[in-house]
Amino acid sequence: MTAPLLRDKVVLISGGTQGLGAGVARRAAAEGAAGIAITGRNAETGQRVAAEISAGGVETRFIQTDLADVEQARQSVLGTIAAFGHVDCTVNAAGLTTRGTMLDTTPELFDAHIAVNLKSPFFVMAETIKHLRSRGVPGSILNVISIAELGGQPYLAPYVAAKAGLAGATRNAAHAHRWDKIRINGLDIGWTATDGEAETQRKFHGAGADWLEKANASVPMGKLGQVDEIAEFIVFLLSDRSGVVTGSVIDWDQNVNGGSD
């Protein structure tokens, strides 16, 4: 029988209270994690998800965190260490997806995207790396980025700028800390079916109740990206089973970048 992928590992998941982040938390629990910390802004949601996973047998703590504040982001790592004694794996899964083009993005909107989508993940990585180095142990970090970092739609200008920065930071950190045996990878996810995406489609694109049915019909595989499938792959990348892989930013999408019809 194959051993659970994250057996005895403590995992921190930034943005782990909903959507893909919550999916990763549930998958980490299923793969034998020793403890899980999830972060988010909404205490009610966070406590509910933490209680649900804990009830399944894996202790899960909610750490209330607003990633617009980089100090709160840093403290989420320290809070995980305080709760479980250490951290082995970190996932930056949170993201801000508010819209803005190159011409109508305000400095305030730009700064908000940089804070949530780049600055806080950068410093969550940094605190995790400091901790792993202080222990002299290997570890792994996975940054959820976006296929949009390769160009994206015109209405995602500040989002694309921040996510492209995170892709670069992922590669830089992986190179800098490869001799520490800290593996750092990124996942450029495409259009994914989450509750957050449903809200985004309604708020910014006037979508109706049938938005998901229409979206599924518009893509080659007949379905958007699925949270459980992506979460399973993220846990694999966190685990020792992914071997020596580091510095990779992997496309998870069904439209091929650079392809043309």
Side-chain angles (χ1 to χ4, degrees):
M1 180 180 293
T2 303
L5 291 176
L6 296 182
R7 185 170 62 186
D8 300 329
K9 303 294 187 183
V10 173
V11 184
L12 164 62
I13 304 161
S14 171
T17 62
Q18 61 182 352
L20 178 56
V24 173
R26 294 182 178 103
R27 187 66 197 181
E31 288 291 350
I36 298 170
I38 58 174
T39 77
R41 289 180 298 175
N42 188 300
E44 182 179 355
T45 301
Q47 296 289 3
R48 176 178 54 77
V49 173
E52 170 207 322
I53 299 173
S54 293
V58 178
E59 183 180 0
T60 303
R61 301 282 187 90
F62 167 64
I63 301 173
Q64 190 166 21
T65 306
D66 184 352
L67 292 178
D69 181 348
V70 69
E71 186 58 28
Q72 290 189 43
R74 291 180 62 251
Q75 288 297 323
S76 70
V77 181
L78 302 179
T80 302
I81 296 165
F84 294 103
H86 66 278
V87 63
D88 301 292
C89 308
T90 291
V91 179
N92 280 305
L96 180 67
T97 59
T98 48
R99 290 354 193 184
T101 69
M102 179 62 69
L103 300 183
D104 64 22
T105 294
T106 63
E108 293 76 17
L109 180 61
F110 184 86
D111 288 347
H113 275 271
I114 294 298
V116 173
N117 294 329
L118 177 56
K119 188 175 182 180
S120 281
F122 183 102
F123 285 99
V124 167
M125 278 199 293
E127 291 297 330
T128 301
I129 292 166
K130 289 176 188 176
H131 168 71
L132 292 168
R133 284 181 49 143
S134 74
R135 291 169 57 207
V137 298
S140 56
I141 298 171
L142 189 289
N143 293 320
V144 177
I145 309 177
S146 171
I147 200 70
E149 62 98 354
L150 299 171
Q153 295 93 331
Y155 55 76
L156 292 178
Y159 178 80
V160 169
K163 288 293 191 177
L166 184 56
T170 299
R171 296 184 180 98
N172 179 269
H175 176 72
H177 297 286
R178 67 198 190 282
W179 289 103
D180 296 316
K181 297 181 175 57
I182 300 171
R183 298 186 306 106
I184 305 169
N185 294 292
L187 199 60
D188 271 355
I189 62 171
W191 200 4
T192 302
T194 66
D195 291 340
E197 181 61 23
E199 182 180 352
T200 294
Q201 290 298 317
R202 289 191 295 268
K203 181 175 180 180
F204 295 107
H205 303 288
D210 61 346
W211 79 271
L212 183 57
E213 179 182 352
K214 290 179 177 178
N216 286 338
S218 74
V219 293
M221 305 301 168
K223 64 176 183 178
L224 300 190
Q226 302 296 299
V227 165
D228 59 340
E229 295 170 354
I230 300 171
E232 184 174 357
F233 190 58
I234 287 173
V235 167
F236 172 77
L237 287 172
L238 291 176
S239 77
D240 294 341
R241 286 281 297 282
S242 57
V244 299
V245 175
T246 195
S248 293
V249 178
I250 301 166
D251 292 355
W252 181 285
D253 198 16
Q254 55 195 298
N255 292 306
V256 179
N257 184 56
S260 179
D261 294 322

